[in-house]
Amino acid sequence: MSMTDPIADMLTRIRNMNAVGGREVVMPHSRIKQAIARVLKDEGYIGRYDVVRRGRFPVLRVYLKYTREKEPVLNGLKRVSKPGCRVYTQKSDIPWVKYGLGSVVLSTPHGVVSGKEARALGVGGEILCEVW
């Protein structure tokens, strides 16, 4: 069975595992998912990630991050641009998430980057998701 929105599936898996206090999330691998995981790691929302060759197809394993009080570092994920309604932004209109406390993940000509990095590069692109 084919999946219509693999990025939404990735975010939902992370959101669900975060809600139950799990340590790792396993999902089918793709380059865009790996790029999003890299941005989440660079921004400090997840501990680490790795690609594991298991059987015929590789899987992406994301390790979630928690505080010392066992509260999740990642409080929310929201898919913005969807297959039925793409959302693009210019470099001057990159949104702030939770008044700068969150982060936005964009797909730009320079690859998948955070909003902060896109502002520094001076590029806009497709808004994939918001994280806080």
Side-chain angles (χ1 to χ4, degrees):
M1 182 175 152
S2 67
M3 196 178 312
T4 0
D5 192 0
I7 297 172
D9 177 66
M10 172 190 185
L11 299 177
T12 301
R13 287 174 189 242
I14 292 173
R15 191 181 309 114
N16 289 344
M17 192 56 76
N18 205 26
V20 297
R23 292 285 172 200
E24 69 179 61
V25 184
V26 178
M27 64 198 78
H29 174 267
S30 72
R31 289 183 312 195
I32 188 86
K33 290 179 189 179
Q34 185 175 351
I36 292 170
R38 180 188 49 78
V39 171
L40 292 177
K41 180 186 173 298
D42 292 346
E43 292 291 311
Y45 291 108
I46 63 172
R48 63 186 173 100
Y49 69 93
D50 52 13
V51 179
V52 179
R53 299 271 177 204
R54 183 187 291 177
R56 248 177 89 190
F57 301 105
V59 295
L60 178 67
R61 188 177 295 152
V62 175
Y63 296 90
L64 301 177
K65 193 173 182 181
Y66 293 91
T67 62
R68 292 183 187 194
E69 293 80 29
K70 300 195 190 305
E71 292 292 320
V73 171
L74 187 62
N75 292 319
L77 290 161
K78 179 184 171 193
R79 178 79 159 116
V80 177
S81 184
K82 299 174 179 152
C85 183
R86 300 290 183 186
V87 179
Y88 297 94
T89 185
Q90 297 176 351
K91 63 180 178 182
S92 58
D93 298 331
I94 296 173
W96 295 96
V97 179
K98 302 288 183 187
Y99 301 102
L101 297 176
S103 186
V104 65
V105 180
L106 291 106
S107 176
T108 69
H110 293 275
V112 177
V113 297
S114 68
K116 181 171 55 176
E117 192 175 345
R119 284 185 198 91
L121 291 169
V123 295
E126 182 182 356
I127 303 174
L128 297 178
C129 62
E130 295 177 345
V131 186
W132 63 92

